Amino acid sequence: MPPQDEQRRSLLHSSDTEEEAAYDATEKVHIVCAGDDDPALSGGPSSAAGAGAPPFSWRKLWLFTGPGFLMSIAFLDPGNLEGDLQAGAIAGYSLLWLLMWATAMGLLVQLLSVRLGVATGRHLAELCRDEYPPWASMVLWVMAELALIGADIQEVIGSAIAIKILSNGVVPLWAGVVITAADCFIFLLLENYGVRKLEAFFAFLIATMAMSFAWMFADAKPSGTELLLGMLIPKLSSRTIKQAVGVVGCIIMPHNVFLHSALVQSRDIDHNQKGRVQEALRYYSIESTAALVISFIINLFVTTVFAKGFYGTPIANSIGLVNAGQYLQEKYGGGFFPILYIWGIGLLAAGQSSTITGTYAGQFIMGGFLNLRLKKWMRALITRSCAIVPTMIVALVFDTEETLDVLNEWLNVLQSIQIPFALIPLLYLVSREQIMGSFKIGPVLKIVSWLVAALVIVINAYLLLDFFSNEVTSMMFGTVVTGFTAAYVAFILYLVSRGLTFSSWRNLIQSKKVTATES
């Protein structure tokens, strides 16, 4: 292993044992297969120079499978489903190509998050706490918490809507929120049985979504030709620009970037052996890609069902998460099993799974930024309360279709605002040799990653400008928005410039060392 890697490992793993960690040693899944004790396969001291990762093993792929599917839940939450159905109803099949490429961009970001977590043995929130000044770290924490609360409100409301559908309206929205709030206890119960049991539960929920929306897809019988053309031929018009921006904007969830870098800590990897790190990165890349392919197919089902049923109809612009089930029922009828309930089951699985992963992400974010070593039930209770209390207020105040649509727009804006505060630190950290060692990203990947980040930020900036141009109608409100915007842009510029400043100082220090040595 190169000297800088040895130095980096010792710095990362000699920290105080009392520091917060994503998983205790007893909780991690131990990766063991036949031949693992062969040093030639480990990149260890007795192996040949430059020895790589061990050969591919299906058993090991199975052992590494899990974190990527938990991560993929964020691509299937109720907010994404609402974006899918609106894109299908308003734009038809024409934005399927964008959904595919947006998922690919999301995969790139998540693979960078995996790379950071596996190569360092720490997650994004922990590294932000160490790498940024205390004031900047606290700002990043507050922004991550706000993004998580906004996402959780959408997810809990989505679950509550599903419960209302499945109960034929007997259970009101506020009661559905209370029922959904109990999922943190399910989460705690499952977590006590081990990481693999929790991952199996999420696999069941994803399978439920896949079967529900596949059933809807089969009932709707969309045009296969139009579906393929929509995926292969890029089309964009001024009439569908808002839906296009929404498709890209909702793919990258800020809390999900933090979450994935922590989830990969659930496997016991020897970070002192370069081959083992390479091996983990390879298996996680395969697993994450498979998970997002499945999530893309599910999103594709939802978009095409609504494209087939409502594109070009007078009600296309009025369809939302609240009334989508009723419109589906009116369009496709009862059948063997009413499509209203199929939609409700899929929506419930999406809402429940995403709220539980939201609780999980909240634990990692709070623990990482604040270095809190709390018992799991306490951390889950705190993070769940942060979202459930405002969600309960929302359920009582916004209990009509119109007000829920307005709320959803504001929550989408909140998510869009937070994206740079997860993306920029991630790209900054994975580019640093002091953090990543030989696993830092290369020049080409760095350029592509920053271009993707810039594209996502610009797209979300367009959404914000469009939204506030319609909403800001008073001088006082406009002044407040302008002030917050100035502070927001200044902090983003600080995050971007910090990496450039660090690189400049590092090069200067290195050049001085070389000069001193030569003299």
Side-chain angles (χ1 to χ4, degrees), residues 142-160:
V142 170
M143 291 301 181
E145 290 288 354
L146 288 174
L148 181 60
I149 290 171
D152 218 0
I153 290 175
Q154 288 181 310
E155 292 155 359
V156 172
I157 291 293
S159 288

Side-chain angles (χ1 to χ4, degrees), residues 195 216 347:
V195 172
M216 287 172 47
L347 181 59

Side-chain angles (χ1 to χ4, degrees), residues 181-199:
D183 65 19
C184 70
F185 300 106
I186 298 173
F187 160 72
L188 288 172
L189 179 65
L190 289 171
E191 201 176 26
N192 287 334
Y193 287 98
V195 172
R196 298 294 277 173
K197 301 294 191 301
L198 183 67
E199 292 169 351

